[in-house]
Amino acid sequence: MTQLLRARRLLTEQGWLDDHQLRIDDGVIRAIEPIPAGVAVRDAELLCPAYIDTHVHGGAGVDVMDEVPGALDALAMHKAREGVGAWLPTTVTAPLPAIHAALARIAARCENGGPGAEVLGSYLEGPYFTPLNKGAHPPELFRELCEEELDALIAVSRQTLRVVALAPEKNQALEAIRHLKSRDVRVMLGHSAATWAQTIAALDAGADGLVHCFNGMTGLHHREPGMVGAGLTDARAWLELIADGHHVHPAAMRLCCQCAGDRTLLITDAMRAAGMPDGRYDICGYDVEMRDGVVRTATGGLAGSTLSLDAAVRNMVTLAQCPPEDAIRMASLHPARMLGVDDRLGSIAIGKRASLIALNSALFVQHVWIHGQALPL
């Protein structure tokens, strides 16, 4: 059965189209065409591709590491309400059996499906980091890189492991990067004290970019550009960005736009407190406290975020003076390209899945469709 969605403005990879409609069959976009004359009804003010959040630890009171049945379903519905059509549940540094168990649960959710945003696979953040820029990750659980151990993680994930984050200065890091890339796993660099030269060497080995750029890494200095300098200036690097105004100053957000606007990936890095009231929570086994929406450890360090991806898009427009269409692509087309799923997701195009969002003029989510199916918000 054919479904029509009509919009006052519709965002394609080429730009905005005024007064166009989508013709959808079996959850796939079959045509993009002008709305016939005389048809006044519009389903959306702005019709855009659904967002893709590639780095999510939790929200709505649950965490990806939780063994509670239904945790991933609850989190998938929470993500859908912020306009996310697809996402990567992200693990944290923990004992290896706990990581294996989380990857197995994510694999089962990938295979079986469920309500809310589509799970595209898993993102392994830790335990292959170094202590200096550890963030909330417990350094006593950091591990050395080993190809056999990485292969075991991929096997436990039933080949649904999509991204591995690691520190590029670790022993065997370059060999691990090459090995992971040979297994079709993306590699992001972070929680690290790497120099500019070490970061470039990792990109030369095939690494894909930086974990939450500016956070958990060596900063930009005029005599040692560090990881940030390497990421901003190397056209091969995708840059994750937590655009909440707390993790990264608005001026640094603008710098990211100006230097790497076509390589920026908006992420939330959200933890279980996202969408919840202020109070005490936990991450990586540590107690943390959320005040005014900002989560910190006992020593005052930031511990994940409570950002929603739709708010990240709005922040890029209001705080970084980014054009709305560019900010939307940072949360949709860019992550799809990084993951290699842009043949079916990330933009509105004939032949792609009808994972879509309706936004109002202020870029707030009004409706969500995943594979053509409307979701209750």
Side-chain angles (χ1 to χ4, degrees), residues 103 107 126 133 135 151 192 238 267 273 343:
L103 293 178
N133 290 303
D151 283 341
S192 162
W238 292 102
I267 63 164
D343 59 331

Side-chain angles (χ1 to χ4, degrees), residues 313-325:
V313 169
R314 293 192 296 273
N315 289 342
M316 292 303 290
V317 174
T318 59
L319 300 179
Q321 285 84 59
C322 183
E325 58 271 24

Side-chain angles (χ1 to χ4, degrees), residues 267-326:
I267 63 164
T268 61
D269 194 25
M271 49 85 71
R272 74 166 77 242
M276 300 293 286
D278 282 355
R280 294 189 177 276
Y281 296 90
D282 67 275
I283 187 170
C284 295
Y286 292 125
D287 290 333
V288 295
E289 186 172 4
M290 179 168 70
R291 291 184 183 177
D292 299 322
V294 180
V295 182
R296 295 187 181 275
T297 64
T299 58
L302 291 167
S305 88
T306 60
L307 183 65
S308 64
L309 205 53
D310 60 322
V313 169
R314 293 192 296 273
N315 289 342
M316 292 303 290
V317 174
T318 59
L319 300 179
Q321 285 84 59
C322 183
E325 58 271 24
D326 290 349

Side-chain angles (χ1 to χ4, degrees), residues 91 96-111 122 124 148-161 183:
T91 62
L96 208 54
I99 293 173
H100 279 203
L103 293 178
R105 290 192 299 272
I106 296 165
R109 181 56 163 74
C110 276
E111 294 164 358
S122 52
L124 187 84
E148 290 77 13
E149 185 167 297
L150 294 171
D151 283 341
L153 290 165
I154 294 169
V156 165
S157 81
R158 301 200 282 278
Q159 287 69 53
T160 63
L161 180 59
R183 300 293 307 272

Side-chain angles (χ1 to χ4, degrees), residues 39-338:
V39 177
V41 174
R42 300 292 183 269
D43 301 291
E45 175 76 7
L46 305 175
L47 190 61
C48 304
Y51 299 142
I52 301 171
D53 195 346
T54 59
H55 189 147
V56 187
H57 295 288
V62 300
D63 189 282
V64 169
M65 303 300 290
D66 290 347
E67 297 183 19
V68 180
L72 290 175
D73 287 348
L75 191 45
M77 286 301 299
H78 172 72
K79 297 307 295 182
R81 286 189 285 272
E82 59 193 59
V84 172
W87 61 298
L88 294 182
T90 304
T91 62
V92 295
T93 298
L96 208 54
I99 293 173
H100 279 203
L103 293 178
R105 290 192 299 272
I106 296 165
R109 181 56 163 74
C110 276
E111 294 164 358
N112 299 330
E118 177 185 3
V119 174
L120 296 176
S122 52
Y123 183 133
L124 187 84
E125 189 183 9
Y128 305 113
F129 296 145
T130 51
L132 186 59
N133 290 303
K134 63 183 178 60
H137 293 260
E140 66 274 13
L141 295 178
F142 289 166
R143 300 178 66 84
E144 294 305 309
L145 287 157
C146 165
E147 290 184 9
E148 290 77 13
E149 185 167 297
L150 294 171
D151 283 341
L153 290 165
I154 294 169
V156 165
S157 81
R158 301 200 282 278
Q159 287 69 53
T160 63
L161 180 59
R162 299 288 174 247
V163 181
V164 169
L166 57 83
E169 74 273 27
K170 288 187 76 71
N171 290 333
Q172 302 300 308
L174 301 186
E175 294 82 356
I177 292 167
R178 295 186 189 100
H179 183 71
L180 288 165
K181 295 295 290 184
S182 75
R183 300 293 307 272
D184 197 29
V185 177
R186 274 56 176 172
V187 178
M188 300 296 279
L189 310 173
H191 290 292
S192 162
T195 63
W196 177 88
Q198 289 170 320
T199 307
I200 294 297
L203 293 170
D204 288 343
D208 295 277
L210 301 187
V211 181
H212 41 56
C213 186
F214 301 101
N215 298 110
M217 62 186 59
T218 48
L220 179 64
H221 186 276
H222 60 287
R223 284 192 291 272
E224 171 44 65
M227 295 189 75
V228 169
L232 289 173
T233 58
D234 194 306
R236 298 171 295 180
W238 292 102
L239 306 182
E240 295 181 357
L241 187 65
I242 307 172
D244 61 359
H246 302 293
H247 281 76
V248 180
H249 190 281
M253 291 162 57
R254 287 196 293 274
L255 181 64
C256 223
C257 281
Q258 292 166 6
C259 293
D262 60 348
R263 299 183 283 114
T264 298
L265 309 170
L266 295 182
I267 63 164
T268 61
D269 194 25
M271 49 85 71
R272 74 166 77 242
M276 300 293 286
D278 282 355
R280 294 189 177 276
Y281 296 90
D282 67 275
I283 187 170
C284 295
Y286 292 125
D287 290 333
V288 295
E289 186 172 4
M290 179 168 70
R291 291 184 183 177
D292 299 322
V294 180
V295 182
R296 295 187 181 275
T297 64
T299 58
L302 291 167
S305 88
T306 60
L307 183 65
S308 64
L309 205 53
D310 60 322
V313 169
R314 293 192 296 273
N315 289 342
M316 292 303 290
V317 174
T318 59
L319 300 179
Q321 285 84 59
C322 183
E325 58 271 24
D326 290 349
I328 291 166
R329 290 183 183 119
M330 290 174 183
S332 55
L333 182 58
H334 295 185
R337 284 177 172 166
M338 187 276 285

